Amino acid sequence: MSGERPTRQRPGTGRPAQEVETMANDSMIRPFRLDTPEEAIADLHRRIAATRWPSRELVNDRSQGVQLATVQELAHYWTTGHDWRACEAKLNALPQYTTDIDGVEIHFIHVQSQHENALPLIMTHGWPGSVVELLGVIGPLTDPTAHGGRAEDAFHLVLPSLPGYGFSGVPTELGWENGRIASAWAELMNRLGYSRYVAQGGDVGAAVTDAMGRQAPDGLLGIHVNLLAGAIGIKDQLPAKSAQERAALDALNTFTTDGFGYFLEQSTRPQTIGYSLIDSPIGLAAWMFDHDTDSYYKISRAIVDGQPTGGLTRDSIVDNVTLYWLTGTGTSSARWYWEFGRFLAAAGASGQAPPPVSVPVGFTTFPGELFPAPRSWVESVYPGLAYYNEAERGGHFAAWEEPELFAAEMRAVFQPLRTS
């Protein structure tokens, strides 16, 4: 089929260098540059200034939700101190591209190491994150000699934006769950000419990376995840004998009863919450901040007190929210949870176990995670686990919070696969 098609447009997004491609060239890889219209930033500031504020919460913690003081300080900084152009320049300094896969325009950052025999690594972000949460690991992974590593530790890095997130296109049909995204990532690595590579993910990215391991496409050598997403559906079947196992189960139960609101809403009614997420920048930010207790307090300290946790700084936090706002992806990103919920329901109704992961699996548990998974739990989901480590610090956004420590984990887990 031939004929011109216009490139998808969303308010405030940058576009590929070539504005029009033919259907026959959908597999092309096109350069991407971010160029945010000034009016989009001005509109953002106007909407923040026009926010209708709720009354203050009646408690002194986050048990009623995101605290008013945190969000009001965010609003002040967002309009008077934050520089989106600095984030734009940081992104434009990196090699960015788009390519159409299975009908969706996929945006990705592709940084190749200068070191010989670098191992290709595709890393997948989650929600409410974006490629912004992974920027801090680019240097340590691609240029290890400048960050305490060796030349033989180097990676070529591919950082895609999930479909419906950030600068990627929004799916126009159902079915974009983990398996379909995993297949798209395999196609992306194939288009980039990588015949041997590894994959990593946290949060949504962990579910996608898990699916890659179960699909085991040609060239995938191994995977690493830092959230045991599979534990949520089988928590009653997991061992709970040791103190560590009982603590993990308590944390998981707390999350699925007290911290699960965003998950339930997005997995059942993403369109409903989506109207607020694309109409109010403050509503979007508050919804994104209300993810988990550990992350919330780190975000609040960074915004209110200017006290970062590693790379989780006030500017990078606001960069991430601004990216969601300018791309208008609050609703479309939430739909992944709806797809995921139906995927799990269908799998449960079938009564069939998922195919096993047939490549080596590495897992790092971070102490501030939703539930720090003990080794016995990880082995329940991934029999034959190849690598397990308990990190000394870090939480749900591990690569964002602790980029150097996270990079060291990537070097350790994938080192045995470099010569396989």
Side-chain angles (χ1 to χ4, degrees):
M1 176 182 286
S2 63
E4 293 186 348
R5 66 170 177 84
T7 303
R8 284 176 287 272
Q9 298 283 348
R10 288 194 303 274
T13 64
R15 302 315 318 160
Q18 295 171 313
E19 289 294 332
V20 177
E21 295 288 347
T22 65
M23 292 293 286
N25 290 332
D26 275 355
S27 63
M28 288 182 61
I29 294 174
R30 302 176 291 274
F32 175 95
R33 181 176 176 82
L34 178 58
D35 184 15
T36 310
E38 192 62 40
E39 172 56 27
I41 299 173
D43 176 67
L44 166 63
H45 290 174
R46 283 194 297 268
R47 288 172 181 264
I48 295 171
T51 299
R52 295 180 62 189
W53 296 101
S55 57
R56 185 190 179 278
E57 63 279 356
L58 302 180
V59 293
N60 293 320
D61 56 23
R62 74 173 289 256
S63 60
Q64 288 192 340
V66 175
Q67 294 160 295
L68 182 63
T70 296
V71 186
Q72 288 187 326
E73 183 58 36
L74 164 72
H76 175 73
Y77 185 74
W78 210 348
T79 53
T80 63
H82 179 249
D83 182 5
W84 171 250
R85 296 299 182 190
C87 179
E88 184 178 77
K90 185 184 299 184
L91 289 169
N92 284 337
L94 298 168
Q96 298 181 87
Y97 305 91
T98 63
T99 188
D100 291 348
I101 301 177
D102 199 9
V104 174
E105 183 181 48
I106 300 298
H107 162 268
F108 62 98
I109 296 169
H110 182 202
V111 183
Q112 294 179 286
S113 174
Q114 64 179 339
H115 296 295
E116 189 176 1
N117 298 322
L119 179 64
L121 165 62
I122 182 168
M123 291 182 62
T124 310
H125 67 83
W127 185 94
S130 67
V131 291
V132 167
E133 70 177 280
L134 303 177
L135 297 181
V137 300
I138 293 177
L141 290 174
T142 62
D143 188 13
T145 56
H147 296 268
R150 308 167 300 167
E152 52 266 38
D153 294 326
F155 293 90
H156 297 312
L157 204 53
V158 180
L159 307 177
S161 296
L162 287 161
Y165 287 67
F167 305 117
S168 281
V170 175
T172 57
E173 61 182 10
L174 299 178
W176 277 94
E177 41 71 36
N178 306 329
R180 192 165 177 181
I181 299 172
S183 296
W185 281 189
E187 173 60 21
L188 175 60
M189 296 303 276
N190 180 61
R191 288 187 191 180
L192 293 174
Y194 291 134
S195 58
R196 300 172 69 256
Y197 62 92
V198 292
Q200 195 283 328
D203 193 80
V204 174
V208 171
T209 303
D210 173 274
M212 293 183 73
R214 297 181 192 282
Q215 291 176 359
D218 290 344
L220 180 65
L221 303 178
I223 65 171
H224 175 275
V225 293
N226 52 285
L227 174 66
L228 195 64
I232 296 175
I234 60 168
K235 64 177 184 176
D236 294 336
Q237 304 171 35
L238 295 169
K241 296 179 180 179
S242 71
Q244 185 185 31
E245 290 167 347
R246 290 193 298 271
L249 184 58
D250 287 344
L252 179 52
N253 283 331
T254 298
F255 173 67
T256 55
T257 54
D258 185 58
F260 214 50
Y262 78 91
F263 196 108
L264 289 175
E265 180 71 15
Q266 295 189 161
S267 61
T268 57
R269 296 294 187 272
Q271 194 72 14
T272 302
I273 188 63
Y275 293 108
S276 298
L277 302 183
I278 65 166
D279 188 60
S280 167
I282 292 299
L284 172 68
W287 185 257
M288 293 171 67
F289 291 173
D290 200 13
H291 183 273
D292 67 277
T293 299
D294 180 72
S295 299
Y296 169 72
Y297 285 123
K298 289 171 180 174
I299 288 169
S300 184
R301 285 195 299 270
I303 291 172
V304 176
D305 302 321
Q307 297 179 2
T309 300
L312 195 65
T313 65
R314 180 161 52 190
D315 278 316
S316 69
I317 292 164
V318 183
D319 287 344
N320 184 58
V321 180
T322 305
L323 187 153
Y324 271 75
W325 175 260
L326 292 175
T327 56
T329 51
T331 309
S332 56
S333 61
R335 291 191 194 121
W336 175 86
Y337 286 80
W338 190 92
E339 295 281 5
F340 183 56
R342 276 144 186 78
F343 170 77
L344 291 180
S350 73
Q352 295 182 343
V357 176
S358 57
V359 298
V361 178
F363 189 93
T364 305
T365 191
F366 291 87
E369 185 53 275
L370 305 178
F371 50 95
R375 183 176 190 125
S376 60
W377 283 22
V378 183
E379 289 178 332
S380 295
V381 177
Y382 300 114
L385 181 70
Y387 176 94
Y388 176 85
N389 188 40
E390 297 178 15
E392 60 186 25
R393 61 186 183 276
H396 185 70
F397 298 102
W400 200 350
E401 297 173 30
E402 303 291 344
E404 296 284 353
L405 185 155
F406 191 88
E409 283 297 291
M410 295 305 97
R411 296 169 193 159
V413 68
F414 291 128
Q415 192 280 329
L417 303 180
R418 289 180 178 271
T419 58
S420 63

